[in-house]
């Protein structure tokens, strides 16, 4: 059975944040527990063209990036400015891994 990931939060990063359900509560559900799940999320949500199955290190990096997005959004909605260093580190991790903007963007591929 293929998992259908939730979409429609308004931003791809917010859809990505929603892959950890019930965060901070009993019964938390990790929707990206392994490489196959991460590859399926990429296939369904389309932040880039899938080029294979990620390895364990990439899964852990994706989970860390997701939590950085969560903290930045939480801080913004709490009235605080997102920590600049945290956002710069998240963008740097994406850039080093060769992750680019959504494949559906018009024009030549863009990189962060």
């Amino acid at each position: 059975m293929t998992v259908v990931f939730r979409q429609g939060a308004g931003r791809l990063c917010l859809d990505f944040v929603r892959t950890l359900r019930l965060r901070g509560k009993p019964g938390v559900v990790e929707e990206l527990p392994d490489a196959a799940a991460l590859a399926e999320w990429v296939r369904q949500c389309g932040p880039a063209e899938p080029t294979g199955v990620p390895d364990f290190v990439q899964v852990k990096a994706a989970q860390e990036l997701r939590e950085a997005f969560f903290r930045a959004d939480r801080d913004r909605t709490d009235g605080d400015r997102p920590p600049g260093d945290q956002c710069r580190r998240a963008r740097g991790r994406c850039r080093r891994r060769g992750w680019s903007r959504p494949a559906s963007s018009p024009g030549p591929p863009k990189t962060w």
Side-chain angles (χ1 to χ4, degrees):
M1 181 171 123
T2 301
V3 173
V4 176
F5 292 98
R6 296 175 297 165
Q7 297 181 43
R11 297 271 185 249
L12 183 60
C13 63
L14 298 178
D15 289 336
F16 189 51
V17 164
R18 292 169 55 179
T19 61
L20 185 65
R21 292 184 186 220
L22 303 174
R23 181 182 278 104
K25 297 178 181 167
V28 65
V29 177
E30 172 61 75
E31 293 183 346
L32 303 175
D34 55 32
L38 179 58
E40 183 60 22
W41 186 86
V42 170
R43 189 189 69 70
Q44 286 181 31
C45 299
E49 290 297 323
T51 58
V53 177
D55 61 25
F56 176 79
V57 172
Q58 291 170 317
V59 172
K60 291 303 171 196
Q63 291 169 343
E64 290 172 15
L65 179 63
R66 176 194 60 206
E67 295 311 301
F69 286 144
F70 168 75
R71 287 188 300 274
D73 186 58
R74 179 199 58 208
D75 292 346
R76 183 190 59 78
T77 56
D78 287 347
D80 298 331
R81 290 184 60 223
D85 286 344
Q86 187 178 65
C87 292
R88 279 190 292 280
R89 282 194 305 268
R91 283 193 304 268
R93 282 193 295 266
C94 289
R95 196 177 308 114
R96 284 190 299 278
R97 288 175 174 82
W99 296 345
S100 61
R101 292 186 183 246
S104 62
S105 297
K110 299 178 178 106
T111 57
W112 289 338

